[in-house]
Amino acid sequence: MTEQQQAGNNLDPWYHHYSERAAGLRASEVRALFAVASRPEVVSLAGGMPFVSALPQDLVIDAMDRVMVEQGAVALQYGSGQGIPRFREQILEVMALEGISANADDVVVTTGSQHALELVSKLFLDPGDIVIAEGPSYVTAMVIFRSYQADVDHVPMDEHGMIPEALREHIARLRATGRTIKLLYTVPTFQNPAGVTLSWERRLEILEIARENGILVLEDNPYGLLYFDRKAPDAMRSVEEDGVIYLGTFSKTLAPGFRMGWALAPHAIREKLVLANEAAVLSPSSFSQLVISEYLSRADWKAQIDTFRGVYAERKQAMVSALGEYLPQLSWTNPAGGFYVWVTLPEPLDSKAMLPRAVKELVAYTPGTAFYADGNGRQNIRLSFCYPTPEQIRLGIRRLTTVIQGELDLLETFAGTGALDMVQGGAQFTSPPPNVS
Amino acid sequence: MTEQQQAGNNLDPWYHHYSERAAGLRASEVRALFAVASRPEVVSLAGGMPFVSALPQDLVIDAMDRVMVEQGAVALQYGSGQGIPRFREQILEVMALEGISANADDVVVTTGSQHALELVSKLFLDPGDIVIAEGPSYVTAMVIFRSYQADVDHVPMDEHGMIPEALREHIARLRATGRTIKLLYTVPTFQNPAGVTLSWERRLEILEIARENGILVLEDNPYGLLYFDRKAPDAMRSVEEDGVIYLGTFSKTLAPGFRMGWALAPHAIREKLVLANEAAVLSPSSFSQLVISEYLSRADWKAQIDTFRGVYAERKQAMVSALGEYLPQLSWTNPAGGFYVWVTLPEPLDSKAMLPRAVKELVAYTPGTAFYADGNGRQNIRLSFCYPTPEQIRLGIRRLTTVIQGELDLLETFAGTGALDMVQGGAQFTSPPPNVS
């Protein structure tokens, strides 16, 4: 080891050996929160864990036992890097519910849709490339993009999702500065974290903008089937085959413990995704594939999704009712499906600075800053209603009310004294993201 | 899309959008073989599939049912990115069999040890970096290294494994040309594909060379517990904590269908591996972890490994006996464990050119070229004895004898006519690898 290496980091003798991209792998804010929020006395409105207890375990046990008895040697063995053909056919049936017509040969089974995000990023992103995403966007997608040294450019949303005119402006501005835009990443339905849904008209318009500009769309749709009152608009992939990579998962409609998701990709891209999948894991778990395949064959899986929809609809209602009752001075989104409500705090509250006090009051949330690559989001918090019961949700919102009221009282006390800057931990970010300008 | 993009590849409109590293993701030779060898009439000595039928399915079914009844909600849920603590403790017991003493906090559970290879490569490899590996080496490790734009430098082996003096020379030569050596990748025990085992003395010497030169050792040990007559030397990690990342797997001692492996890493590296794992898959499968954990708790897993050892020892014996009987003019390694025999053909036979004729005779093998990054290996073939029965192995070797004898007859017929060059498909590679010189 050279002296220079030793000087770098006394705790890690390999400090100077990491790849350049490794610098982009930093712990997300959500990660630290998981540790805090796992204490039983804390009401966690932070995580995104589905309520798997609503899944009858007999259904899973029956599927497992049948797989082991009838296809044990296949379930225990390596499989193909693309996934089991019959399972890919069944995935077509799931996607058909959102208007997608496709060929099983274009489906790649992945270790959760998270791994599809990783593989797509590995295939497409060079250092300095741009990924356009909603602002705010899914935190662990942005962690991956950054881990391949790409920059995220956030396009703003309103209650109908990403704003097409803003997208046009961002593309023009990025191109004018010579940046290469590789992907348009979107969670169009019941977005994480904002809970909003891209309207059908905007889906068409955004696809058109992407087509005009030769930008590949990465449509991430974990929540689409978890609508409350009425079906969401069909997937963007339903009207555009060649310009969309579509990602789906069984984590929310069945259970995340199997780590089973998929990508549906244009044919040539699919071939490369399979190679990347083989390099990364040789093959996705045969066992998990067959168990889910058996479950889809035998169980009434659509009725099970209805059960989940009912559970989450009730919890969403509990959350927005409690917000209306206790915190009418705030504003929030009222999602038509999915897991999340996006709350805007009154100025000048700072969601990140407020979090330790919230945890002291035994309620956890995710500060909005986690969902921006550019420091925005201090005025926002993401509240999850997927896992806690309606009673816990009401309790959590009551505790949150105590916190917010305490903050507002504190701010009022110190108003005009100059102490506010410290309390808030810095100014709001309202200028364009640094990676754009 | 620009005209230039359209001109690139008519079949793939996204051809010019891939990352630079995507060019390194090419189908391996083993991949194409899997398709060919899967026809039932072909005796495949090509793949590396463990013989999972030797695992009593009751053991797995019992573990699964108990997990679902007692811990169903955990099994179906997301978990931590590092893996379940109790499972990591049990992994320590497995590693203790090869002399490793470690802390469960330094273990990261991965989606097969293949994914540990991927994560380590992502963390350490920049374009142009060098990974030193045995020549020949594990094909899908090299696919990963190449996918991160690193070059593999092969250090030769003899019957005692990698030759330390050659390693010193290669390091000196690479450094003299300004190359950065990031990893020393080795499968020290029952190597894939060569079947040889690094002696204890050489393990110490190679660790010393790595330490002197500040090179991190990546010890990949899927086969270590599958010895035939007597235990293999202890793992390299048993005597070197700070300079070794150790990779293990349940794919060979239990079943690959669960996709469960692990990395044991120096502490600071372990932290980064967890972040990379979280970005890639959020968390390894809770379900697979708990099933294996339950199996390790309740079943006599060491006796099960003994069963596997017995199966593979018998098959290895069938293979070397058949080689001695039918092909005494060839030379081959006689492994003390693992899955593979490495055969050297008489000059000037070409294993790659010969393969189609072998498949015509209904026997498949992996040509040696698959295991070199530099075009070497035409005179070698890898034969797997893990999956076929002893009878199939004898049949396969008899068919191979027909192929080799036919090739030799053909060569004799055309000797001196100048037609040989076409038959062989090119000269042997005996010069130093192009990426070294």
Side-chain angles (χ1 to χ4, degrees):
Chain A
M1 198 179 308
T2 66
E3 278 183 333
Q4 187 207 359
Q5 283 164 349
Q6 283 174 333
N9 184 328
N10 286 331
L11 298 174
D12 182 2
W14 302 104
Y15 185 79
H16 288 284
H17 287 64
Y18 295 108
S19 62
E20 284 188 24
R21 79 182 71 80
L25 278 168
R26 297 189 295 269
S28 77
E29 303 186 58
V30 171
R31 172 188 165 76
L33 280 170
F34 276 154
V36 170
S38 65
R39 283 158 41 199
E41 66 273 23
V42 175
V43 172
S44 176
L45 307 174
M49 293 196 300
F51 187 64
V52 292
S53 300
L55 175 70
Q57 298 193 357
D58 286 355
L59 293 181
V60 178
I61 293 174
D62 288 352
M64 288 182 339
D65 287 354
R66 197 180 285 267
V67 163
M68 284 306 299
V69 169
E70 295 177 1
Q71 306 177 75
V74 179
L76 296 173
Q77 193 54 272
Y78 292 110
S80 95
Q82 186 172 1
I84 294 169
R86 175 165 160 64
F87 183 50
R88 287 187 276 115
E89 294 283 351
Q90 292 172 307
I91 286 171
L92 297 184
E93 296 172 33
V94 177
M95 291 192 290
L97 296 180
E98 295 181 79
I100 294 173
S101 165
N103 189 313
D105 194 39
D106 294 332
V107 174
V108 184
V109 177
T110 56
T111 306
S113 58
Q114 187 69 31
H115 200 227
L117 276 173
E118 164 81 14
L119 297 176
V120 169
S121 300
K122 185 175 178 183
L123 271 189
F124 283 97
L125 300 181
D126 281 316
D129 281 348
I130 293 278
V131 178
I132 292 179
E134 286 116 358
S137 183
Y138 170 50
V139 55
T140 318
M142 295 192 293
V143 170
I144 293 178
F145 302 148
R146 196 171 57 200
S147 81
Y148 285 105
Q149 299 166 270
D151 294 320
V152 171
D153 175 66
H154 290 295
V155 171
M157 290 183 285
D158 61 20
E159 68 272 30
H160 304 295
M162 185 183 276
I163 301 166
E165 198 43 52
L167 174 60
R168 285 186 202 279
E169 287 166 16
H170 279 242
I171 292 171
R173 182 153 34 130
L174 289 161
R175 293 249 161 109
T177 59
R179 302 298 294 262
T180 301
I181 305 167
K182 279 285 180 71
L183 298 169
L184 194 168
Y185 172 73
T186 176
V187 183
T189 306
F190 318 137
Q191 203 244 10
N192 179 5
V196 303
T197 295
L198 189 65
S199 69
W200 180 246
E201 294 69 25
R202 286 200 182 168
R203 286 176 195 230
L204 300 178
E205 190 171 355
I206 284 176
L207 285 170
E208 178 57 32
I209 295 170
R211 205 179 298 119
E212 281 168 11
N213 287 279
I215 298 172
L216 185 60
V217 174
L218 183 53
E219 179 180 23
D220 190 5
N221 187 27
Y223 310 105
L225 294 176
L226 298 177
Y227 54 90
F228 300 146
D229 294 324
R230 61 170 183 279
K231 274 188 90 255
D234 276 349
M236 298 169 82
R237 171 58 177 75
S238 71
V239 288
E240 168 67 59
E241 268 188 51
D242 296 333
V244 175
I245 300 176
Y246 175 92
L247 307 186
T249 180
F250 289 101
S251 290
K252 276 76 181 182
T253 52
L254 180 61
F258 294 110
R259 309 309 301 117
M260 273 291 130
W262 70 88
L264 170 66
H267 200 76
I269 295 175
R270 188 278 289 162
E271 290 178 6
K272 289 194 168 52
L273 276 176
V274 171
L275 291 176
N277 206 21
E278 288 178 341
V281 300
L282 292 177
S283 60
S285 167
S286 304
F287 184 83
S288 292
Q289 290 181 79
L290 287 178
V291 169
I292 298 178
S293 176
E294 187 68 27
Y295 167 83
L296 294 172
S297 300
R298 306 244 163 207
D300 188 350
W301 59 273
K302 292 178 192 172
Q304 179 57 39
I305 294 176
D306 286 344
T307 299
F308 281 126
R309 295 201 297 105
V311 167
Y312 298 131
E314 184 191 8
R315 291 172 183 205
K316 192 275 301 219
Q317 196 50 51
M319 183 169 278
V320 296
S321 297
L323 284 168
E325 186 173 339
Y326 298 119
L327 289 164
Q329 71 275 34
L330 273 55
S331 63
W332 55 86
T333 57
N334 187 359
F339 282 7
Y340 308 109
V341 167
W342 183 247
V343 177
T344 303
L345 301 174
E347 289 206 44
L349 290 193
D350 181 320
S351 62
K352 200 170 172 182
M354 193 174 76
L355 183 60
R357 274 160 276 193
V359 172
K360 187 158 166 275
E361 294 291 334
L362 305 181
V363 60
Y365 59 80
T366 310
T369 46
F371 306 98
Y372 285 94
D374 56 16
N376 262 306
R378 286 179 180 271
Q379 212 186 327
N380 297 103
I381 64 179
R382 187 192 75 175
L383 297 179
S384 312
F385 51 81
C386 42
Y387 194 75
T389 63
E391 294 69 35
Q392 289 170 321
I393 288 170
R394 288 186 63 82
L395 176 60
I397 299 295
R398 274 215 307 277
R399 289 175 178 172
L400 189 61
T401 307
T402 307
V403 176
I404 289 174
Q405 202 51 58
E407 290 284 289
L408 289 171
D409 291 350
L410 192 71
L411 288 167
E412 200 170 325
T413 306
F414 287 97
T417 64
L420 272 184
D421 293 342
M422 291 175 62
V423 175
Q424 291 174 238
Q428 298 285 324
F429 288 79
T430 53
S431 55
N435 57 349
V436 176
S437 58
Chain B
M1 197 179 310
T2 66
E3 279 183 332
Q4 187 207 358
Q5 282 163 350
Q6 284 173 331
N9 184 328
N10 286 331
L11 297 174
D12 183 2
W14 302 105
Y15 184 80
H16 289 283
H17 287 63
Y18 296 108
S19 61
E20 285 189 22
R21 78 182 72 78
L25 277 168
R26 295 189 297 270
S28 76
E29 303 186 58
V30 171
R31 172 188 166 75
L33 280 169
F34 276 154
V36 170
S38 66
R39 283 156 43 198
E41 66 274 23
V42 175
V43 171
S44 176
L45 307 174
M49 293 197 298
F51 188 66
V52 292
S53 299
L55 176 69
Q57 298 192 359
D58 286 355
L59 292 181
V60 178
I61 293 175
D62 288 352
M64 288 181 342
D65 288 354
R66 195 180 287 266
V67 163
M68 283 306 298
V69 170
E70 295 178 0
Q71 306 176 76
V74 179
L76 296 173
Q77 193 54 271
Y78 292 110
S80 95
Q82 185 172 2
I84 294 169
R86 175 167 159 63
F87 183 49
R88 287 187 275 115
E89 293 282 351
Q90 292 171 308
I91 285 170
L92 297 184
E93 295 171 35
V94 177
M95 290 192 291
L97 296 180
E98 296 181 79
I100 293 173
S101 165
N103 190 314
D105 194 40
D106 294 332
V107 174
V108 184
V109 177
T110 55
T111 306
S113 59
Q114 186 70 31
H115 200 226
L117 276 174
E118 165 81 13
L119 297 175
V120 168
S121 299
K122 184 174 178 184
L123 272 189
F124 283 97
L125 299 181
D126 282 316
D129 283 349
I130 292 279
V131 178
I132 292 178
E134 287 116 357
S137 183
Y138 170 49
V139 54
T140 318
M142 295 192 293
V143 170
I144 293 178
F145 302 148
R146 197 172 56 199
S147 80
Y148 285 105
Q149 299 167 268
D151 294 319
V152 171
D153 176 65
H154 289 295
V155 172
M157 289 184 284
D158 60 22
E159 68 270 30
H160 303 295
M162 184 183 277
I163 301 167
E165 197 43 51
L167 174 60
R168 285 188 202 277
E169 286 167 15
H170 278 241
I171 293 171
R173 184 155 33 133
L174 289 161
R175 293 248 160 110
T177 59
R179 303 298 295 262
T180 300
I181 305 167
K182 278 286 180 70
L183 297 169
L184 194 169
Y185 172 72
T186 176
V187 184
T189 306
F190 317 137
Q191 203 245 9
N192 179 3
V196 302
T197 295
L198 189 65
S199 69
W200 181 246
E201 294 69 25
R202 285 200 183 168
R203 287 177 194 229
L204 299 179
E205 191 171 354
I206 284 175
L207 285 170
E208 178 57 32
I209 295 170
R211 205 179 298 118
E212 282 168 12
N213 287 280
I215 298 172
L216 186 58
V217 174
L218 183 52
E219 179 181 23
D220 190 4
N221 186 28
Y223 309 105
L225 294 175
L226 298 177
Y227 53 90
F228 300 146
D229 294 324
R230 61 170 184 279
K231 275 187 87 254
D234 276 349
M236 297 170 83
R237 171 57 178 75
S238 71
V239 287
E240 169 68 58
E241 268 188 51
D242 296 334
V244 175
I245 301 177
Y246 174 93
L247 307 185
T249 181
F250 289 101
S251 290
K252 275 76 181 184
T253 52
L254 180 60
F258 294 109
R259 308 309 302 118
M260 273 292 131
W262 69 89
L264 169 66
H267 200 75
I269 295 174
R270 188 278 290 164
E271 289 178 6
K272 290 195 167 55
L273 275 176
V274 171
L275 291 175
N277 206 22
E278 286 177 343
V281 298
L282 291 177
S283 59
S285 167
S286 304
F287 184 82
S288 292
Q289 290 181 78
L290 287 177
V291 169
I292 298 179
S293 176
E294 187 68 27
Y295 168 82
L296 293 172
S297 299
R298 305 245 164 207
D300 189 348
W301 58 274
K302 292 179 191 172
Q304 179 58 40
I305 294 176
D306 287 344
T307 300
F308 281 126
R309 296 201 296 105
V311 167
Y312 297 132
E314 184 191 7
R315 291 171 182 205
K316 192 276 300 219
Q317 195 51 49
M319 181 168 280
V320 296
S321 296
L323 285 168
E325 187 175 338
Y326 298 118
L327 289 164
Q329 71 274 36
L330 272 56
S331 63
W332 57 86
T333 57
N334 186 358
F339 282 8
Y340 308 109
V341 167
W342 183 247
V343 176
T344 304
L345 302 175
E347 288 205 48
L349 291 193
D350 181 321
S351 62
K352 202 170 172 181
M354 192 174 76
L355 184 60
R357 274 160 276 193
V359 172
K360 188 156 166 275
E361 294 291 335
L362 306 181
V363 60
Y365 60 80
T366 312
T369 46
F371 306 98
Y372 285 93
D374 56 18
N376 262 306
R378 287 180 179 271
Q379 212 185 327
N380 296 103
I381 64 180
R382 187 192 76 175
L383 297 179
S384 311
F385 51 81
C386 42
Y387 195 75
T389 62
E391 295 67 37
Q392 290 170 320
I393 289 171
R394 288 185 64 82
L395 176 61
I397 299 294
R398 275 214 308 275
R399 290 175 177 171
L400 190 61
T401 306
T402 307
V403 177
I404 290 175
Q405 201 52 57
E407 289 285 288
L408 288 172
D409 291 349
L410 192 72
L411 288 167
E412 201 170 325
T413 305
F414 287 97
T417 66
L420 273 183
D421 293 343
M422 290 175 64
V423 176
Q424 289 172 242
Q428 297 287 322
F429 287 80
T430 52
S431 55
N435 57 349
V436 176
S437 58

